[in-house]
PDB file of all heavy atoms in Angstrom:
ATOM      1  N   GLU H   7       1.298  17.650   5.270  1.00  0.00           N
ATOM      2  CA  GLU H   7       1.457  18.261   6.633  1.00  0.00           C
ATOM      3  C   GLU H   7       1.374  19.927   6.296  1.00  0.00           C
ATOM      4  O   GLU H   7       2.328  20.422   5.677  1.00  0.00           O
ATOM      5  CB  GLU H   7       2.693  17.990   7.314  1.00  0.00           C
ATOM      6  CG  GLU H   7       2.468  18.068   8.856  1.00  0.00           C
ATOM      7  CD  GLU H   7       2.116  19.477   9.391  1.00  0.00           C
ATOM      8  OE1 GLU H   7       2.979  20.412   9.171  1.00  0.00           O
ATOM      9  OE2 GLU H   7       0.935  19.487   9.820  1.00  0.00           O
ATOM     10  N   THR H   8       0.335  20.624   6.634  1.00  0.00           N
ATOM     11  CA  THR H   8       0.331  22.046   6.335  1.00  0.00           C
ATOM     12  C   THR H   8      -0.311  22.740   7.620  1.00  0.00           C
ATOM     13  O   THR H   8      -0.669  23.953   7.508  1.00  0.00           O
ATOM     14  CB  THR H   8      -0.783  22.304   5.219  1.00  0.00           C
ATOM     15  OG1 THR H   8      -1.948  21.716   5.486  1.00  0.00           O
ATOM     16  CG2 THR H   8      -0.046  21.786   3.899  1.00  0.00           C
ATOM     17  N   SER H   9      -0.080  22.212   8.731  1.00  0.00           N
ATOM     18  CA  SER H   9      -0.585  22.837   9.897  1.00  0.00           C
ATOM     19  C   SER H   9       0.420  23.902  10.372  1.00  0.00           C
ATOM     20  O   SER H   9       0.023  24.767  11.263  1.00  0.00           O
ATOM     21  CB  SER H   9      -0.837  21.821  11.053  1.00  0.00           C
ATOM     22  OG  SER H   9       0.463  21.194  11.426  1.00  0.00           O
ATOM     23  N   THR H  10       1.649  23.908   9.997  1.00  0.00           N
ATOM     24  CA  THR H  10       2.690  24.850  10.428  1.00  0.00           C
ATOM     25  C   THR H  10       3.198  25.506   9.204  1.00  0.00           C
ATOM     26  O   THR H  10       3.040  25.098   8.016  1.00  0.00           O
ATOM     27  CB  THR H  10       3.721  24.208  11.217  1.00  0.00           C
ATOM     28  OG1 THR H  10       4.562  23.198  10.389  1.00  0.00           O
ATOM     29  CG2 THR H  10       3.300  23.444  12.359  1.00  0.00           C
ATOM     30  N   ILE H  62      -3.817  13.300   5.763  1.00  0.00           N
ATOM     31  CA  ILE H  62      -3.718  14.673   6.022  1.00  0.00           C
ATOM     32  C   ILE H  62      -3.512  14.922   7.444  1.00  0.00           C
ATOM     33  O   ILE H  62      -4.271  14.375   8.271  1.00  0.00           O
ATOM     34  CB  ILE H  62      -4.905  15.527   5.557  1.00  0.00           C
ATOM     35  CG1 ILE H  62      -4.791  17.013   5.738  1.00  0.00           C
ATOM     36  CG2 ILE H  62      -6.214  14.903   6.059  1.00  0.00           C
ATOM     37  CD1 ILE H  62      -3.800  17.694   4.987  1.00  0.00           C
ATOM     38  N   SER H  63      -2.623  15.827   7.898  1.00  0.00           N
ATOM     39  CA  SER H  63      -2.512  16.259   9.255  1.00  0.00           C
ATOM     40  C   SER H  63      -3.545  17.209   9.519  1.00  0.00           C
ATOM     41  O   SER H  63      -3.673  18.372   8.966  1.00  0.00           O
ATOM     42  CB  SER H  63      -1.135  16.939   9.360  1.00  0.00           C
ATOM     43  OG  SER H  63      -1.040  17.463  10.739  1.00  0.00           O
ATOM     44  N   ILE H  64      -4.574  16.810  10.262  1.00  0.00           N
ATOM     45  CA  ILE H  64      -5.911  17.528  10.379  1.00  0.00           C
ATOM     46  C   ILE H  64      -6.031  18.634  11.466  1.00  0.00           C
ATOM     47  O   ILE H  64      -6.991  19.431  11.487  1.00  0.00           O
ATOM     48  CB  ILE H  64      -6.875  16.406  10.784  1.00  0.00           C
ATOM     49  CG1 ILE H  64      -8.414  16.875  10.418  1.00  0.00           C
ATOM     50  CG2 ILE H  64      -6.839  16.043  12.185  1.00  0.00           C
ATOM     51  CD1 ILE H  64      -8.542  17.019   8.900  1.00  0.00           C
ATOM     52  N   GLY H  65      -4.862  18.889  12.213  1.00  0.00           N
ATOM     53  CA  GLY H  65      -4.925  20.063  13.057  1.00  0.00           C
ATOM     54  C   GLY H  65      -4.738  19.524  14.507  1.00  0.00           C
ATOM     55  O   GLY H  65      -4.706  18.351  14.780  1.00  0.00           O
ATOM     56  N   PRO H  66      -4.604  20.527  15.481  1.00  0.00           N
ATOM     57  CA  PRO H  66      -4.857  21.989  15.262  1.00  0.00           C
ATOM     58  C   PRO H  66      -3.583  22.567  14.612  1.00  0.00           C
ATOM     59  O   PRO H  66      -2.561  21.883  14.375  1.00  0.00           O
ATOM     60  CB  PRO H  66      -4.923  22.431  16.704  1.00  0.00           C
ATOM     61  CG  PRO H  66      -4.170  21.496  17.537  1.00  0.00           C
ATOM     62  CD  PRO H  66      -4.364  20.189  16.851  1.00  0.00           C
ATOM     63  N   GLY H  67      -3.749  23.769  14.362  1.00  0.00           N
ATOM     64  CA  GLY H  67      -2.570  24.521  13.663  1.00  0.00           C
ATOM     65  C   GLY H  67      -3.148  25.788  12.851  1.00  0.00           C
ATOM     66  O   GLY H  67      -4.195  26.328  13.323  1.00  0.00           O
ATOM     67  N   LEU H  72      -4.421  24.432   7.303  1.00  0.00           N
ATOM     68  CA  LEU H  72      -5.251  23.224   7.372  1.00  0.00           C
ATOM     69  C   LEU H  72      -6.343  23.131   6.274  1.00  0.00           C
ATOM     70  O   LEU H  72      -6.517  22.113   5.775  1.00  0.00           O
ATOM     71  CB  LEU H  72      -5.977  23.306   8.701  1.00  0.00           C
ATOM     72  CG  LEU H  72      -5.094  23.084   9.942  1.00  0.00           C
ATOM     73  CD1 LEU H  72      -5.862  23.154  11.301  1.00  0.00           C
ATOM     74  CD2 LEU H  72      -4.272  21.607   9.940  1.00  0.00           C
ATOM     75  N   VAL H  93      -4.756  12.388  10.541  1.00  0.00           N
ATOM     76  CA  VAL H  93      -4.034  12.188  11.621  1.00  0.00           C
ATOM     77  C   VAL H  93      -3.890  13.522  12.451  1.00  0.00           C
ATOM     78  O   VAL H  93      -3.638  14.589  11.893  1.00  0.00           O
ATOM     79  CB  VAL H  93      -2.531  11.843  11.085  1.00  0.00           C
ATOM     80  CG1 VAL H  93      -1.404  11.926  12.294  1.00  0.00           C
ATOM     81  CG2 VAL H  93      -2.529  10.458  10.475  1.00  0.00           C
ATOM     82  N   PRO H  94      -4.170  13.506  13.773  1.00  0.00           N
ATOM     83  CA  PRO H  94      -3.929  14.689  14.547  1.00  0.00           C
ATOM     84  C   PRO H  94      -2.632  15.231  14.544  1.00  0.00           C
ATOM     85  O   PRO H  94      -1.625  14.441  14.699  1.00  0.00           O
ATOM     86  CB  PRO H  94      -4.471  14.260  15.937  1.00  0.00           C
ATOM     87  CG  PRO H  94      -5.391  13.100  15.740  1.00  0.00           C
ATOM     88  CD  PRO H  94      -4.774  12.349  14.470  1.00  0.00           C
ATOM     89  N   THR H  95      -2.582  16.516  14.271  1.00  0.00           N
ATOM     90  CA  THR H  95      -1.177  17.194  14.142  1.00  0.00           C
ATOM     91  C   THR H  95      -0.293  16.897  15.279  1.00  0.00           C
ATOM     92  O   THR H  95       0.890  16.594  15.121  1.00  0.00           O
ATOM     93  CB  THR H  95      -1.246  18.560  13.819  1.00  0.00           C
ATOM     94  OG1 THR H  95      -2.024  18.905  12.788  1.00  0.00           O
ATOM     95  CG2 THR H  95       0.130  19.281  13.767  1.00  0.00           C
ATOM     96  N   LEU H  96      -0.780  17.080  16.434  1.00  0.00           N
ATOM     97  CA  LEU H  96      -0.002  16.892  17.703  1.00  0.00           C
ATOM     98  C   LEU H  96       0.541  15.530  17.920  1.00  0.00           C
ATOM     99  O   LEU H  96       1.608  15.207  18.535  1.00  0.00           O
ATOM    100  CB  LEU H  96      -0.662  17.474  18.909  1.00  0.00           C
ATOM    101  CG  LEU H  96      -1.005  18.936  18.883  1.00  0.00           C
ATOM    102  CD1 LEU H  96      -1.724  19.452  20.115  1.00  0.00           C
ATOM    103  CD2 LEU H  96       0.238  19.847  18.672  1.00  0.00           C
ATOM    104  N   ASP H  97      -0.320  14.514  17.410  1.00  0.00           N
ATOM    105  CA  ASP H  97       0.061  13.104  17.425  1.00  0.00           C
ATOM    106  C   ASP H  97       1.320  12.866  16.674  1.00  0.00           C
ATOM    107  O   ASP H  97       2.252  12.315  17.066  1.00  0.00           O
ATOM    108  CB  ASP H  97      -1.034  12.070  16.954  1.00  0.00           C
ATOM    109  CG  ASP H  97      -2.258  12.049  17.951  1.00  0.00           C
ATOM    110  OD1 ASP H  97      -2.273  12.789  18.819  1.00  0.00           O
ATOM    111  OD2 ASP H  97      -3.127  11.190  17.712  1.00  0.00           O
ATOM    112  N   ALA H  98       1.312  13.401  15.453  1.00  0.00           N
ATOM    113  CA  ALA H  98       2.401  13.213  14.489  1.00  0.00           C
ATOM    114  C   ALA H  98       3.672  14.168  15.140  1.00  0.00           C
ATOM    115  O   ALA H  98       4.733  13.636  14.944  1.00  0.00           O
ATOM    116  CB  ALA H  98       2.122  13.928  13.206  1.00  0.00           C
ATOM    117  N   PHE H  99       3.452  15.138  15.724  1.00  0.00           N
ATOM    118  CA  PHE H  99       4.502  16.021  16.406  1.00  0.00           C
ATOM    119  C   PHE H  99       5.147  15.019  17.482  1.00  0.00           C
ATOM    120  O   PHE H  99       6.381  15.018  17.550  1.00  0.00           O
ATOM    121  CB  PHE H  99       3.973  17.215  17.128  1.00  0.00           C
ATOM    122  CG  PHE H  99       4.785  18.424  16.976  1.00  0.00           C
ATOM    123  CD1 PHE H  99       4.047  19.650  16.753  1.00  0.00           C
ATOM    124  CD2 PHE H  99       6.132  18.329  17.027  1.00  0.00           C
ATOM    125  CE1 PHE H  99       4.910  20.815  16.695  1.00  0.00           C
ATOM    126  CE2 PHE H  99       6.866  19.606  16.912  1.00  0.00           C
ATOM    127  CZ  PHE H  99       6.239  20.841  16.686  1.00  0.00           C
ATOM    128  N   ALA H 100       4.526  14.509  18.247  1.00  0.00           N
ATOM    129  CA  ALA H 100       4.939  13.489  19.320  1.00  0.00           C
ATOM    130  C   ALA H 100       5.761  12.472  18.686  1.00  0.00           C
ATOM    131  O   ALA H 100       6.887  12.039  19.152  1.00  0.00           O
ATOM    132  CB  ALA H 100       3.943  12.991  20.267  1.00  0.00           C
ATOM    133  N   PRO H 112       4.137  18.742  22.901  1.00  0.00           N
ATOM    134  CA  PRO H 112       4.215  19.680  21.749  1.00  0.00           C
ATOM    135  C   PRO H 112       3.365  20.855  21.961  1.00  0.00           C
ATOM    136  O   PRO H 112       2.323  20.787  22.468  1.00  0.00           O
ATOM    137  CB  PRO H 112       3.657  18.690  20.474  1.00  0.00           C
ATOM    138  CG  PRO H 112       2.758  17.834  21.054  1.00  0.00           C
ATOM    139  CD  PRO H 112       3.371  17.517  22.582  1.00  0.00           C
ATOM    140  N   LEU H 114       2.013  24.444  19.708  1.00  0.00           N
ATOM    141  CA  LEU H 114       1.869  25.284  18.556  1.00  0.00           C
ATOM    142  C   LEU H 114       1.266  26.627  19.100  1.00  0.00           C
ATOM    143  O   LEU H 114       0.382  26.726  19.868  1.00  0.00           O
ATOM    144  CB  LEU H 114       0.957  24.736  17.559  1.00  0.00           C
ATOM    145  CG  LEU H 114       1.577  23.380  16.834  1.00  0.00           C
ATOM    146  CD1 LEU H 114       0.356  22.851  15.997  1.00  0.00           C
ATOM    147  CD2 LEU H 114       2.813  23.615  16.073  1.00  0.00           C
ATOM    148  N   TYR H 126       1.945  13.441  25.806  1.00  0.00           N
ATOM    149  CA  TYR H 126       2.081  12.081  25.451  1.00  0.00           C
ATOM    150  C   TYR H 126       3.146  11.333  26.342  1.00  0.00           C
ATOM    151  O   TYR H 126       4.101  11.952  26.624  1.00  0.00           O
ATOM    152  CB  TYR H 126       2.468  12.115  23.919  1.00  0.00           C
ATOM    153  CG  TYR H 126       1.566  12.653  23.051  1.00  0.00           C
ATOM    154  CD1 TYR H 126       1.565  14.114  22.780  1.00  0.00           C
ATOM    155  CD2 TYR H 126       0.654  11.940  22.319  1.00  0.00           C
ATOM    156  CE1 TYR H 126       0.722  14.675  21.944  1.00  0.00           C
ATOM    157  CE2 TYR H 126      -0.299  12.492  21.424  1.00  0.00           C
ATOM    158  CZ  TYR H 126      -0.285  13.879  21.312  1.00  0.00           C
ATOM    159  OH  TYR H 126      -1.148  14.534  20.450  1.00  0.00           O
ATOM    160  N   GLU H 139      -5.845  17.301  23.116  1.00  0.00           N
ATOM    161  CA  GLU H 139      -5.670  18.628  22.645  1.00  0.00           C
ATOM    162  C   GLU H 139      -6.486  19.698  23.297  1.00  0.00           C
ATOM    163  O   GLU H 139      -7.717  19.397  23.520  1.00  0.00           O
ATOM    164  CB  GLU H 139      -5.831  18.556  21.159  1.00  0.00           C
ATOM    165  CG  GLU H 139      -5.007  17.663  20.222  1.00  0.00           C
ATOM    166  CD  GLU H 139      -5.560  16.280  20.024  1.00  0.00           C
ATOM    167  OE1 GLU H 139      -6.478  15.973  20.891  1.00  0.00           O
ATOM    168  OE2 GLU H 139      -5.067  15.626  19.026  1.00  0.00           O
ATOM    169  N   PRO H 187       6.372  19.032  13.364  1.00  0.00           N
ATOM    170  CA  PRO H 187       5.655  17.807  12.986  1.00  0.00           C
ATOM    171  C   PRO H 187       6.078  17.368  11.653  1.00  0.00           C
ATOM    172  O   PRO H 187       6.019  18.050  10.620  1.00  0.00           O
ATOM    173  CB  PRO H 187       4.257  18.184  12.972  1.00  0.00           C
ATOM    174  CG  PRO H 187       4.153  19.719  12.678  1.00  0.00           C
ATOM    175  CD  PRO H 187       5.395  20.256  13.251  1.00  0.00           C
ATOM    176  N   VAL H 192       3.478  11.833   9.975  1.00  0.00           N
ATOM    177  CA  VAL H 192       2.073  11.823   9.422  1.00  0.00           C
ATOM    178  C   VAL H 192       1.792  10.607   8.590  1.00  0.00           C
ATOM    179  O   VAL H 192       0.775   9.940   8.731  1.00  0.00           O
ATOM    180  CB  VAL H 192       1.616  13.081   8.710  1.00  0.00           C
ATOM    181  CG1 VAL H 192       0.288  13.037   8.187  1.00  0.00           C
ATOM    182  CG2 VAL H 192       1.940  14.262   9.552  1.00  0.00           C
ATOM    183  N   LEU H 195       1.841   7.235  10.806  1.00  0.00           N
ATOM    184  CA  LEU H 195       0.599   7.132  11.594  1.00  0.00           C
ATOM    185  C   LEU H 195      -0.580   6.942  10.647  1.00  0.00           C
ATOM    186  O   LEU H 195      -1.422   6.076  10.898  1.00  0.00           O
ATOM    187  CB  LEU H 195       0.304   8.382  12.447  1.00  0.00           C
ATOM    188  CG  LEU H 195       1.390   8.637  13.580  1.00  0.00           C
ATOM    189  CD1 LEU H 195       0.872   9.905  14.300  1.00  0.00           C
ATOM    190  CD2 LEU H 195       1.290   7.305  14.553  1.00  0.00           C
ATOM    191  N   LEU H 214      -9.470  19.933  12.657  1.00  0.00           N
ATOM    192  CA  LEU H 214      -9.409  19.993  14.036  1.00  0.00           C
ATOM    193  C   LEU H 214      -8.914  21.382  14.452  1.00  0.00           C
ATOM    194  O   LEU H 214      -7.843  21.460  14.696  1.00  0.00           O
ATOM    195  CB  LEU H 214      -8.710  18.771  14.565  1.00  0.00           C
ATOM    196  CG  LEU H 214      -8.641  18.763  16.172  1.00  0.00           C
ATOM    197  CD1 LEU H 214     -10.013  18.472  16.726  1.00  0.00           C
ATOM    198  CD2 LEU H 214      -7.706  17.687  16.538  1.00  0.00           C
TER     199      LEU H 214
END
Side-chain angles (χ1 to χ4, degrees):
E7 207 303 291
T8 55
S9 62
T10 68
I62 181 67
S63 175
I64 200 64
L72 292 174
V93 171
T95 298
L96 297 180
D97 289 9
F99 221 144
L114 295 174
Y126 300 82
E139 295 94 338
V192 177
L195 293 177
L214 178 62

